Amino acid sequence: MSIALKQVFNKDKTFRPKRKFEPGTQRFELHKRAQASLNPGVDLKAAVQLPSGEDQNDWVAVHVVDFFNRINLIYGTVCEFCTERTCPVMSGGPKYEYRWQDDVKYKKPTALPAPQYMNLLMDWIEVQINNEVIFPTSVGVPFPKNFLQICRKILCRLFRVFVHVYIHHFDRIILMGAEAHINTCYKHFYYFVTELNLIDRKELEPLVFHSDFISASAEMDLSH
């Protein structure tokens, strides 16, 4: 996380405790490399590419956890304004509505207020990334065969947080002066999931114009 981003966001507002990697491990080193991508001047398109000789599952694992931490922080800055009154439905504008299903309590897609959806979403992701069978932390322990499938679902659902924040709460982000930092976080997320084909393009449609805008901005930045 960049110093500027830390200054903008109050750590007390993190929506969930951060998941960390054990120092000295290969995944910790990959995690540091992923975090360095938020440093000013970094070519994010190049930064998200799988490093030569590294395992794709390791690369995806550290990014999933890192994005979970960052998006927790982002939502934590606006969660007090995201209430059942202001956001009675988890949506991304009038065209997109997201319904919750976890095959446990909610066995069918269920319409919920945005804050309730967010709580269920973050709880569900925490269970996944803290499950040693799915996200093993011990060296030499293999990832499950359906690891990428699980990560695709996690990333798809995390994208919905971006959609809701951008469309319904971006005025708060602007008032905080944090829009450039949120854009960088989203840009990193977008380039990563598209580079490794981890989210269906149709799922990305709610922010397609924004994605085109930041891509154009990135190309302008690199040309200067």
Side-chain angles (χ1 to χ4, degrees), residues 8 56 101 154:
V8 168
Q56 179 173 314
Q101 181 178 7
I154 291 172

Side-chain angles (χ1 to χ4, degrees), residues 15-204:
F15 196 54
R16 287 288 189 283
K18 293 181 73 174
R19 166 74 189 271
K20 298 180 180 179
F21 292 98
E22 195 67 32
T25 64
Q26 177 63 11
R27 281 176 204 156
F28 180 75
E29 295 305 313
L30 289 174
H31 164 68
K32 288 200 299 183
R33 187 181 300 192
Q35 283 203 319
S37 63
L38 284 187
N39 292 337
V42 170
D43 179 356
L44 286 172
K45 280 189 176 180
V48 299
Q49 295 171 7
L50 179 67
S52 177
E54 298 295 349
D55 178 74
Q56 179 173 314
N57 285 342
D58 276 325
W59 189 236
V60 171
V62 298
H63 277 82
V64 167
V65 173
D66 207 33
F67 288 136
F68 173 67
N69 289 337
R70 293 181 194 179
I71 293 170
N72 270 327
L73 193 56
I74 290 168
Y75 184 66
T77 65
V78 300
C79 64
E80 64 186 290
F81 307 102
C82 183
T83 67
E84 293 190 9
R85 184 182 62 80
T86 62
C87 306
V89 176
M90 174 58 183
S91 62
K95 193 176 177 182
Y96 299 97
E97 179 182 330
Y98 300 117
R99 299 189 174 194
W100 181 254
Q101 181 178 7
D102 55 21
D103 297 323
V104 182
K105 183 178 179 181
Y106 298 91
K107 297 186 178 182
K108 294 182 179 180
T110 305
L112 296 171
Q116 186 179 353
Y117 183 103
M118 294 293 189
N119 272 300
L120 290 167
L121 168 60
M122 298 306 180
D123 285 345
W124 176 79
I125 295 177
E126 273 195 315
V127 169
Q128 310 306 310
I129 65 176
N130 288 316
N131 185 333
E132 285 284 334
V133 174
I134 301 173
F135 282 77
T137 55
S138 301
V139 177
V141 177
F143 289 92
K145 290 182 179 179
N146 64 339
F147 176 70
L148 287 180
Q149 180 183 344
I150 293 169
C151 288
R152 285 189 177 97
K153 191 168 186 177
I154 291 172
L155 291 167
C156 181
R157 287 180 164 182
L158 282 175
F159 173 74
R160 295 171 183 179
V161 181
F162 274 122
V163 174
H164 186 74
V165 168
Y166 266 118
I167 294 176
H168 295 280
H169 301 293
F170 204 62
D171 56 335
R172 302 302 312 180
I173 299 297
I174 291 172
L175 283 174
M176 293 169 57
E179 63 271 23
H181 306 300
I182 301 293
N183 284 343
T184 299
C185 287
Y186 175 65
K187 195 186 300 184
H188 186 198
F189 180 92
Y190 175 79
Y191 285 152
F192 183 77
V193 299
T194 53
E195 166 71 20
L196 297 179
N197 196 28
L198 293 169
I199 296 184
D200 189 284
R201 292 280 179 171
K202 186 172 179 60
E203 285 286 341
L204 296 172

